[in-house]
Amino acid sequence: VQTCALPISLSPAQQALGEELIANAEHIQMAGQTLVVAAASAPGFQDEVSALAHKLSDIYEADAVFVIVDLGDRVQMAARSRSDGVDVGAIAAALGGGGHSRAAAALIRGGKLPDVRAQILAMAGVAVRPPLTVGQMMSRGRPQTLPPDLPVGEAAKRMRRYGHEGFPVLRILPDGGEELLGILLRRDADRAIDHGLERRPVAMLMRAGAVTIGPDAP
């Protein structure tokens, strides 16, 4: 059950409609993207629907939010996107509206709420693209690494040479394997040098912990 509260900057009418939208919100997975579709009936509603799309986008950690409101003689759709893979402007244009890839709206005269919802999902099935993965963006090959006893000053020189903002710190094990100890960030190395600590070993200033990410992660 969603228990989010809407900000008080909205009008009373927007507050009431927003609570109904939250109660009706659907979370839909499509091509690796999370879409929130929130629909409600509000005949005679006069305030901005786009403000509710913006607020719901702030509330939900979704790639895109679609707000659909039946105003009686017409259906208003407003959408917000946080992902390059969800072009809400293209979906709004197919409904006769407009906007851009991150914010768009459409007014469908004589439309019915279930039909508009179905149209949005059908178009999203074609328009929504999978997010870029770590594997598509990463630098390939053996990464630069630092031994834990390397002086921070030398580590900083390597970072400047290769242009990276941080290097993993690895310890060689007796059997020849490696253990990930942490990461030294370039800003931490620069700060240490500013304080005259360039001879301290990397192990003293690294951020400890074996934090990793897989190649299929968005």
Side-chain angles (χ1 to χ4, degrees):
V1 176
Q2 183 68 41
T3 58
C4 296
L6 288 168
I8 60 174
S9 59
L10 298 175
S11 71
Q14 287 173 319
Q15 286 274 342
L17 179 55
E19 296 298 339
E20 185 177 353
L21 289 167
I22 288 174
N24 297 340
E26 304 172 77
H27 290 71
I28 298 169
Q29 295 293 324
M30 190 173 291
Q33 308 276 11
T34 300
L35 312 182
V36 170
V37 179
S41 294
F45 182 78
Q46 299 294 327
D47 290 342
E48 280 287 332
V49 172
S50 58
L52 292 170
H54 181 76
K55 295 300 184 184
L56 264 65
S57 180
D58 287 342
I59 289 172
Y60 294 110
E61 293 185 3
D63 297 297
V65 170
F66 295 87
V67 167
I68 317 167
V69 180
D70 187 346
L71 301 174
D73 60 341
R74 61 200 186 282
V75 174
Q76 175 77 55
M77 187 278 287
R80 296 291 185 273
S81 173
R82 297 173 179 267
S83 169
D84 291 336
V86 187
D87 185 347
V88 295
I91 295 173
L95 290 170
H100 53 83
S101 62
R102 295 303 175 99
L107 189 64
I108 304 96
R109 296 191 180 278
K112 301 297 182 182
L113 207 60
D115 295 336
V116 174
R117 174 191 173 279
Q119 285 180 280
I120 289 171
L121 292 181
M123 289 180 288
V126 176
V128 173
R129 305 190 310 273
L132 289 173
T133 64
V134 170
Q136 291 173 294
M137 297 296 293
M138 70 182 187
S139 301
R140 297 187 176 275
R142 171 74 181 183
Q144 293 292 325
T145 64
L146 304 173
D149 57 352
L150 185 75
V152 169
E154 178 59 31
K157 290 179 183 178
R158 294 189 189 183
M159 291 179 188
R160 288 192 292 271
R161 184 184 310 147
Y162 293 103
H164 291 284
E165 294 301 315
F167 284 149
V169 180
L170 297 183
R171 176 171 59 197
I172 305 300
L173 300 175
D175 63 2
E178 297 172 322
E179 179 185 8
L180 176 60
L181 301 179
I183 186 170
L184 181 68
L185 299 180
R186 183 169 179 173
R187 64 174 177 267
D188 292 338
D190 289 342
R191 189 179 300 118
I193 292 171
D194 289 343
H195 287 83
L197 304 176
E198 62 272 11
R199 295 186 180 181
R200 297 289 179 90
V202 163
M204 292 186 63
L205 296 162
M206 71 180 183
R207 302 190 180 202
V211 180
T212 64
I213 192 166
D216 294 329

